[in-house]
Amino acid sequence: MIVPFMALGYIVLALYILVANITEIPAMLSLIVRSAFGWEQAAGGAVGIAVMQGVKRGLFSNEAGEGSAPNAAATATIPHPVYQGLLQSLGVFADTLVICTCTAFIILLSGLYADGSDGIILTGHAMEHHLGSFGGWFLLAAIFLFAYSTIIANYFYGETNVRYICDKPWAITLFRCMSGVVVLMGGFMSLQQAWSIVDLAMALMTITNLIAVLLLSRYAFRLLKNFKEQRKQGKEPVFNPDLFPEADLEGWK
């Protein structure tokens, strides 16, 4: 319940900044295009670095293909799995192409992107440039709520999986202690140290998950075909577990 309200507030703030700097938008778009497709960037390998950085940060932002989002999606009560699949796709679009683009526009319109700052520090400076002290306080509140909800969500994913593997009191207690220690350690690390650990962990999770995605893709395509067939017949798609007798569909029974 926290995230949608904060996301909406962030988008409204970004739109205000865009309107307030509307005369600078053409130059900003030109800078984006020139930086993305410029010969100097291509020759220097900057394009490859930018793409790699974008993939890493985009994966961290929307978790698409990384394997954690299905934990939340699986808790939904829906008549057909494709409904939730479509909603998850919309979530990736909203997070990456809307929220993250808002941040990019805010930073570029401030002109502070070359001041040597990085990450949330740079975003904070850009917000203060546009909105004064209110921008800094708003970003502080937004980051606190996003981080708070993220910690809760990821802890829920972890404990759910631990309980599935070993539903013993000592295992749950150990996991809780480890989670607390990791969160505490994150507060004492530099930004680069934290990103390096996160990138490694995300890469291992993504590789593991993509193997599972490949193995399960045949079911996904069959589900999508069944969904479309029911829609063409004018029906409200409803999933029938009997269509997949060979699959483990414990959650639908």
Side-chain angles (χ1 to χ4, degrees), residues 8-136:
L8 182 62
Y10 194 74
I11 292 171
V12 170
L13 211 61
L15 289 174
Y16 169 79
I17 293 172
L18 284 171
V19 171
N21 296 273
I22 194 168
T23 58
E24 302 296 327
I25 291 179
M28 177 192 70
L29 296 177
S30 175
L31 174 64
I32 292 172
V33 173
R34 286 187 287 106
S35 299
F37 302 105
W39 288 107
E40 292 182 7
Q41 288 80 3
V47 172
I49 294 173
V51 170
M52 182 176 65
Q53 188 74 355
V55 169
K56 290 194 294 185
R57 296 298 165 261
L59 178 63
F60 183 79
S61 176
N62 58 56
E63 304 178 22
E66 177 253 330
S68 59
N71 288 270
T75 65
T77 301
I78 48 174
H80 198 288
V82 172
Y83 278 118
Q84 192 63 24
L86 295 174
L87 182 62
Q88 294 300 117
S89 300
L90 178 63
V92 173
F93 171 83
D95 184 276
T96 306
L97 295 183
V98 178
I99 300 295
C100 292
T101 300
C102 285
T103 302
F105 286 169
I106 291 171
I107 291 173
L108 291 175
L109 287 173
S110 72
L112 301 175
Y113 49 87
D115 71 350
S117 301
D118 192 11
I120 191 64
I121 303 300
L122 176 57
T123 306
H125 289 167
M127 292 286 278
E128 290 177 349
H129 172 82
H130 292 296
L131 303 170
S133 60
F134 170 78

